[in-house]
């Protein structure tokens, strides 16, 4: 009887230990599952206006990022067309935020100034590109503002631009500004600062083959200069494509001002895919 009792007690002890182990495993699984739910928050776009100073001017930018991101992300500067800082450049910043970056649409004219006519746009653009030191100061002010954001990895920065903005981004890269990558869309390549050995960025240029604002001889000169300093770059020319091919408002603006502007869906989508590939490779 004593032996049976001892066996019975031992059996109960084993069952109790197994039960505790099962409960601990279950609790651990529940905790792990709960942790996964907490870390996998859905994407939440946050877009906010930011004010920064340059040349004693108040510059109006737009910052876009994933509000639920928990880690620092690469920062992307987005430079506007010659029309000025508008909804289009903000849209591109939002699109970059959706890809997981922190993007800032910057202001190169000051006070968020916009042009209502091509003549004004040309004057605004020349006032910036005609004074390269002032242009660098304005760009660097935006760069430092972006780097100071808590959500940004300050060691991973790129810049992209459209039309005038593409020329700005390329010029900054040529001048040796510390950028990991630069992408320019329907951008002139006859620049106030041509490529030198100071260039650090990996460069992408996407232009239309039928763009009269980008003469063939300037493209050849640009490529020759980039090759001469062994720059890491890719130049793409889209057939049957003219200026402002990424902007859906290009057709209306072209008609309004009798300019060779036209949206080209295929070139727009292909060039955006090229940008995504560039950023993935660099970051």
């Amino acid at each position: 009887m004593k032996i049976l009792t001892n066996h019975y007690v031992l059996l109960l002890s084993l069952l109790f230990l197994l039960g505790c182990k099962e409960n601990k495993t279950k609790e651990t699984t529940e905790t792990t599952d709960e942790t996964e739910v907490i870390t996998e928050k859905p994407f939440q776009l946050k877009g906010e206006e930011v004010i920064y100073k340059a040349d004693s001017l108040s510059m109006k930018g737009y910052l876009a990022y994933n509000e639920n991101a928990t880690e620092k992300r690469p920062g992307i500067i987005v430079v506007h067309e010659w029309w000025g800082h508008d909804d289009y450049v903000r849209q591109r910043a939002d699109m970059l935020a959706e890809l997981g970056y922190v993007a800032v649409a910057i202001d190169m004219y000051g006070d968020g100034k916009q042009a209502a006519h091509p003549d004004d746009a040309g004057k605004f653009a020349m006032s910036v590109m005609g004074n390269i030191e002032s242009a660098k100061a304005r760009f660097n002010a935006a760069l430092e503002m972006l780097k100071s954001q808590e959500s940004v990895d300050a060691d991973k920065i790129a810049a992209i631009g459209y039309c005038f903005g593409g020329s700005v981004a390329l010029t900054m890269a040529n001048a040796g500004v510390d950028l990991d990558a630069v992408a320019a869309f329907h951008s002139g390549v006859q620049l106030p600062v041509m490529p030198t050995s100071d260039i650090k960025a990996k460069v992408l240029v996407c232009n239309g083959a039928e763009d009269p604002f980008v003469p063939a001889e300037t493209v050849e000169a640009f490529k020759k200069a980039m090759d001469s300093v062994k720059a890491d770059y890719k130049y793409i020319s889209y057939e049957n494509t003219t200026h402002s091919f990424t902007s859906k408002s290009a057709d209306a603006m072209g008609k309004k001002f009798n300019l060779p502007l036209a949206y080209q869906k295929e070139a727009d989508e292909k060039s955006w895919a090229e940008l995504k590939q560039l950023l993935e490779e660099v970051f």
Side-chain angles (χ1 to χ4, degrees):
M1 179 65 69
K2 185 176 181 180
I3 294 174
L4 288 174
T5 302
N6 288 341
H7 285 174
Y8 181 73
V9 171
L10 180 60
L11 179 61
L12 287 176
S13 298
L14 288 171
L15 290 172
F16 176 79
L17 290 173
L18 287 171
C20 289
K21 183 176 180 181
E22 183 178 350
N23 286 337
K24 286 182 179 179
T25 302
K26 185 176 181 181
E27 289 173 4
T28 302
T29 302
E30 289 175 351
T31 303
T32 302
D33 290 342
E34 184 179 349
T35 302
E36 289 174 354
V37 170
I38 292 173
T39 56
E40 293 179 0
K41 289 183 178 179
F43 172 83
Q44 180 63 51
L45 176 66
K46 176 71 173 181
E48 57 188 21
E49 291 191 352
V50 288
I51 305 296
Y52 58 102
K53 295 285 186 178
D55 292 345
S56 74
L57 288 175
S58 177
M59 318 300 279
K60 296 182 180 180
Y62 172 79
L63 191 70
Y65 57 96
N66 178 9
E67 193 172 26
N68 288 334
T70 57
E71 298 179 352
K72 290 181 179 293
R73 302 295 302 154
I76 316 292
I77 288 175
V78 190
V79 193
H80 53 78
E81 296 180 287
W82 69 342
W83 304 110
H85 180 109
D86 55 14
D87 289 340
Y88 176 68
V89 75
R90 292 186 175 204
Q91 175 194 348
R92 290 295 177 176
D94 286 344
M95 292 170 69
L96 286 164
E98 290 169 1
L99 295 178
Y101 303 105
V102 179
V104 61
I106 71 171
D107 175 12
M108 289 297 291
Y109 294 160
D111 294 321
K113 185 165 57 178
Q114 295 182 29
H117 191 279
D119 290 344
D120 295 326
K123 291 175 183 177
F124 293 165
M126 282 305 300
S127 70
V128 174
M129 300 304 275
N131 186 340
I132 192 61
E133 292 306 315
S134 176
K136 285 175 65 176
R138 295 182 185 192
F139 186 88
N140 284 329
L143 176 61
E144 292 307 312
M145 179 269 291
L146 177 62
K147 286 183 174 181
S148 71
Q149 302 300 314
E150 291 184 1
S151 55
V152 172
D153 183 341
D155 293 325
K156 297 179 179 180
I157 304 291
I160 74 170
Y162 298 84
C163 183
F164 158 81
S167 296
V168 169
L170 291 172
T171 299
M172 295 303 116
N174 291 345
V177 175
D178 190 12
L179 298 166
D180 295 296
V182 161
F185 304 86
H186 37 91
S187 164
V189 291
Q190 188 172 8
L191 308 165
V193 178
M194 291 301 282
T196 68
S197 57
D198 291 332
I199 190 169
K200 304 178 180 69
K202 186 170 184 176
V203 174
L204 168 69
V205 181
C206 298
N207 279 338
E210 315 303 325
D211 189 341
F213 296 117
V214 189
E217 58 270 23
T218 65
V219 175
E220 290 308 311
F222 174 77
K223 290 180 178 179
K224 186 176 180 179
M226 293 290 274
D227 291 336
S228 70
V229 296
K230 297 180 171 56
D232 186 356
Y233 78 102
K234 184 176 185 179
Y235 189 99
I236 302 174
S237 184
Y238 297 105
E239 297 297 326
N240 303 313
T241 302
T242 187
H243 198 65
S244 285
F245 63 84
T246 68
S247 175
K248 292 181 179 179
S249 65
D251 296 85
M253 296 296 280
K255 184 177 181 180
K256 181 177 180 180
F257 297 112
N258 193 29
L259 290 172
L261 314 178
Y263 177 66
Q264 221 278 19
K265 185 175 185 294
E266 183 179 1
D268 178 26
E269 293 176 350
K270 285 184 175 180
S271 61
W272 188 253
E274 291 285 349
L275 173 63
K276 290 196 291 185
Q277 181 178 332
L278 170 68
L279 297 178
E280 288 170 2
E281 289 174 355
V282 171
F283 297 132

